[in-house]
Amino acid sequence: MKTTDYLSLIIKELEQTATLISDSEADQLVEALLNAKKVFVTGAGRSGLAGKAFVMRMMHMGIDAYVVGETVTANLEQGDLLIVCSGSGETRTLIPIAEKAKELGGTVVTVTINPQSTISTIADRIIQLPGITKDGSAGSYQTIQPMGSLFEQTMLLFFDAVILRFMEIKQLDSNTMYGKHANLE
């Protein structure tokens, strides 16, 4: 099979995942963003990279957003939002972060494949995305892709869709957002 044939199959998988995401859960995330004073995002590996891309877009929209663990990350306080990106919902390094956010009075949202996971039990809201975990322990969605690729790709595109919905509500456009784009490049 040609590389471009694989690309076509991946795109078809992503089209199918979009129909399986709950609009209600998506709206809850948008609402949480609208109500949060500050937003923090954490994740490990490729899930963390998708989360970092989301933080960048939130910053472009004027949201006070941070990646957990970076040197410039603010402190989480009551009224702030933590978004935990974990396909399995069992990532050992992320569980104590979610617990600490709850102790500090933050709202915790998890984006996961597994709504019965440890992180899901801590979270105030769960956004379930289709896929399978990297070790195959959670999720029943069929994919040609290795490990957690489908989940990670779906999450990246889902976050972009959340950004578009937020832009619509706040009446923002790309020109407005470009004013917050890095200019030391």
Side-chain angles (χ1 to χ4, degrees):
M1 189 179 299
K2 296 183 296 189
T3 302
T4 54
D5 292 335
Y6 282 118
L7 176 59
S8 293
L9 289 173
I10 290 168
I11 291 169
K12 285 179 186 168
E13 285 186 356
L14 289 166
E15 285 176 349
Q16 292 172 348
T17 64
T19 64
L20 301 173
I21 299 170
S22 164
D23 285 325
S24 172
E25 291 175 10
D27 289 344
Q28 288 177 24
L29 179 56
V30 174
E31 188 68 29
L33 291 175
L34 289 166
N35 293 324
K37 291 191 242 174
K38 295 186 299 267
V39 179
F40 298 82
V41 178
T42 190
R46 289 168 41 119
S47 295
L49 291 173
K52 285 181 178 185
F54 187 42
V55 170
M56 179 184 285
R57 285 291 180 246
M58 286 190 281
M59 179 274 298
H60 290 152
M61 293 189 308
I63 295 173
D64 200 6
Y66 302 93
V67 175
V68 173
E70 297 291 329
T71 56
V72 295
T73 301
N75 62 324
L76 186 136
E77 301 171 300
Q78 189 165 358
D80 292 343
L81 173 64
L82 172 68
I83 301 169
V84 182
C85 306
S86 174
S88 68
E90 300 295 342
T91 309
R92 294 275 177 223
T93 56
L94 302 179
I95 295 168
I97 295 170
E99 291 171 336
K100 182 71 172 185
K102 290 289 287 190
E103 288 172 20
L104 294 170
T107 299
V108 176
V109 172
T110 187
V111 180
T112 186
I113 295 167
N114 186 2
Q116 286 80 37
S117 69
T118 301
I119 295 171
S120 294
T121 63
I122 298 166
D124 298 290
R125 293 180 184 89
I126 300 165
I127 312 299
Q128 184 178 6
L129 299 182
I132 59 168
T133 57
K134 62 183 173 225
D135 63 1
S137 63
S140 59
Y141 194 85
Q142 296 300 310
T143 177
I144 64 161
Q145 299 181 71
M147 302 169 63
S149 291
L150 181 63
F151 169 74
E152 296 144 1
Q153 294 159 352
T154 301
M155 183 169 44
L156 180 67
L157 295 174
F158 170 74
F159 284 154
D160 280 347
V162 168
I163 292 297
L164 289 171
R165 180 68 179 123
F166 187 93
M167 289 173 64
E168 177 185 22
I169 292 168
K170 293 295 231 175
Q171 298 181 331
L172 299 172
D173 60 31
S174 289
N175 292 331
T176 306
M177 291 170 60
Y178 192 74
K180 293 200 177 276
H181 192 279
N183 61 4
L184 294 176
E185 301 170 333

